[in-house]
Amino acid sequence: MKKNDISKEDKTIPTTRKSEKVYDVVALVDDLLQKAIETGASDAHFEPTSREIVIKFRLDGVLQAVEKLPKILGDNIIARLKVLGGVLTYRNDIPQEGRIQRDDKLNDGKVIDQRLAVFPTIHGQRAVVRFFYEESGLSELGNLGFSPCIYAALQEIAAQNQGVLLLTGPAGSGKSTTLAALLRFILQNFPGKSIVTLEDPVERHIEGVTQVQITPQGEMTFPTALRSLLRQDPEVLMIGEIRDAETARIAVEAGLTGHLLMSTMHSGSPTGALLRLLEMGIEPYQITSSITAVLNQRLVRKLCNNCKRKNVTTREYEPAGCEDCCRTGFKGRVLISELVQLDGQLRQAILAKADLDEMEGILRNRGHMNMYQDGMRLAQDGITSREELNKVCGQNG
């Protein structure tokens, strides 16, 4: 079977003996998870409807339906996933999260972790399995695909002894990969530094870094752990995500008191992240004194090298579709980004509590390169398409 061949073969489920049903569901679920890994899917969705259970794979960031199975199999499929994920099989009325033990014999060591999330719906339980792959080529900061100017700026920020670097972008935009690469860069270039991370959950193990996992319903929350860690004499801190005002306040204080801190925030733009800090009650002078830069990033699909074609009118490359890319015209993803470093004019705007339009105007006037403009360099080189950039960034950025 080819790597990208998603089989549509029917599964005959015997109905004579209960043991045979269980055995076939086990094989069916194993087969679906294996196919997801072989196609490089980041997630496998098991979605119940009124008539069937639909299996979808997220390939290069886009969901595609790959299998539709009889409704009667839904409960058994979800039950099997629950067993694999180590969650309660008899609770069907609450959300649950678990971890599926990886089988290196099946995935050749490509998958380092598999996370299960189950959620009740009106048609039954919905399950999503997320796959984390070993991506050795993306462990180095220089291999992530940043433009030369952003790469140089990130190196300078990593060399600093204090300040806060914020990463923004939606889920699945590569923020965790960038943070891990930054930590490895610091380890390689500034040996001896004390580095501690707070994560929920720990996604990638980094040798030489003290990594702490925050349990969602546990007593050790992000604010509690961060406040205590500041007494552990760390030099570099990484927080998985700033989710509330208390965490934001402690993070800003850490950046003011001789710590280099990196974290993520949910925001659509760098200026939006700065305004969100203001909305959380952080004083403007604290933001201007602690925040070094905000990095905003997305992942866009790469054109399939096997079938991409050049439009004779626009002279730009477009997707076509072939067996190698599952007829999508795209294969793999690449990073686009923008970096906003706080300068005097932007700091003055924050102190004056300027609105979003005013801050965006300051960036435009100083020639700031936004994500769409960063992505156009890739479109011009035939790596992605203008249509894909419009989809990810919005029309013309």
Side-chain angles (χ1 to χ4, degrees), residues 99 112 184 202-207 211:
R99 172 176 287 173
I112 58 176
R184 291 190 186 97
V202 174
E203 294 182 359
R204 293 173 175 81
H205 295 280
I206 305 173
E207 194 66 34
Q211 295 175 274

Side-chain angles (χ1 to χ4, degrees), residues 360-378:
E360 292 288 351
I362 291 172
L363 294 181
R364 283 194 299 271
N365 291 336
R366 77 181 193 188
H368 170 70
M369 178 178 286
N370 62 31
M371 274 196 309
Y372 185 86
Q373 293 168 325
D374 183 50
M376 279 306 298
R377 66 186 172 91
L378 302 177

Side-chain angles (χ1 to χ4, degrees), residues 47-314:
E47 300 182 0
T49 68
S50 59
R51 295 183 179 181
E52 58 199 359
I53 179 166
V54 182
I55 289 82
K56 300 177 181 179
F57 293 167
R58 188 174 293 281
L59 302 171
D60 296 327
V62 178
L63 272 179
Q64 297 186 32
V66 298
E67 199 89 58
K68 293 181 179 179
L69 298 169
K71 175 77 171 177
I72 195 172
L73 295 178
D75 289 343
N76 288 338
I77 288 173
I78 300 300
R80 175 57 184 166
L81 289 169
K82 284 182 170 182
V83 170
L84 292 173
V87 301
L88 301 175
T89 57
Y90 59 86
R91 291 302 302 268
N92 302 331
D93 57 338
I94 59 172
Q96 296 191 74
E97 296 181 7
R99 172 176 287 173
I100 297 177
Q101 186 69 31
R102 69 181 188 271
D103 188 342
D104 290 340
K105 292 181 181 179
L106 292 178
N107 62 56
D108 298 323
K110 293 186 297 184
V111 174
I112 58 176
D113 203 0
Q114 299 175 94
R115 303 273 171 74
L116 170 69
V118 183
F119 201 91
T121 76
I122 60 171
H123 295 303
Q125 295 174 92
R126 181 181 189 272
V128 175
V129 178
R130 188 174 187 187
F131 304 97
F132 295 85
Y133 296 88
E134 182 64 55
E135 298 173 326
S136 56
L138 299 180
S139 62
E140 300 294 329
L141 188 62
N143 294 338
L144 297 187
F146 287 111
S147 65
C149 59
I150 292 181
Y151 176 50
L154 289 175
Q155 288 179 299
E156 292 179 4
I157 292 170
Q160 296 177 6
N161 293 322
Q162 71 175 46
V164 177
L165 170 66
L166 293 178
L167 274 68
T168 65
S173 59
K175 299 187 298 296
S176 296
T177 300
T178 298
L179 284 173
L182 279 164
L183 294 178
R184 291 190 186 97
F185 177 83
I186 294 171
L187 281 171
Q188 294 167 4
N189 293 275
F190 309 99
K193 280 197 172 184
S194 173
I195 305 176
V196 183
T197 73
L198 298 177
E199 304 171 70
D200 173 24
V202 174
E203 294 182 359
R204 293 173 175 81
H205 295 280
I206 305 173
E207 194 66 34
V209 174
T210 300
Q211 295 175 274
V212 180
Q213 182 154 306
I214 303 297
T215 307
Q217 281 78 35
E219 293 183 11
M220 189 169 68
T221 61
F222 274 109
T224 301
L226 182 55
R227 193 179 294 107
S228 180
L229 272 179
L230 292 178
R231 304 186 188 96
Q232 293 279 324
D233 192 30
E235 293 166 280
V236 180
L237 284 163
M238 190 275 275
I239 308 173
E241 183 183 351
I242 294 178
R243 301 177 179 176
D244 51 63
E246 188 178 2
T247 305
R249 193 171 297 108
I250 302 169
V252 166
E253 290 173 359
L256 290 169
T257 55
H259 302 88
L260 175 61
L261 187 140
M262 297 177 286
S263 187
T264 69
M265 285 185 71
H266 281 295
S267 175
S269 66
T271 49
L274 296 172
L275 287 176
R276 189 177 173 205
L277 289 174
L278 288 171
E279 291 169 358
M280 286 179 169
I282 309 300
E283 292 295 333
Y285 76 89
Q286 291 182 310
I287 296 174
T288 58
S289 302
S290 63
I291 305 298
T292 301
V294 184
L295 175 68
N296 190 25
Q297 64 179 61
R298 302 286 189 279
L299 294 174
V300 296
R301 293 182 294 170
K302 295 170 63 176
L303 288 167
C304 175
N305 286 324
N306 190 51
C307 65
K308 66 181 180 182
R309 60 191 177 197
K310 199 168 189 177
N311 187 306
V312 294
T313 304
T314 64

Side-chain angles (χ1 to χ4, degrees), residues 343-372:
D343 61 6
Q345 191 176 8
L346 197 56
R347 286 190 170 96
Q348 287 297 321
I350 294 171
L351 290 171
K353 294 188 177 181
D355 61 21
L356 185 64
D357 289 339
E358 290 179 86
M359 290 193 187
E360 292 288 351
I362 291 172
L363 294 181
R364 283 194 299 271
N365 291 336
R366 77 181 193 188
H368 170 70
M369 178 178 286
N370 62 31
M371 274 196 309
Y372 185 86

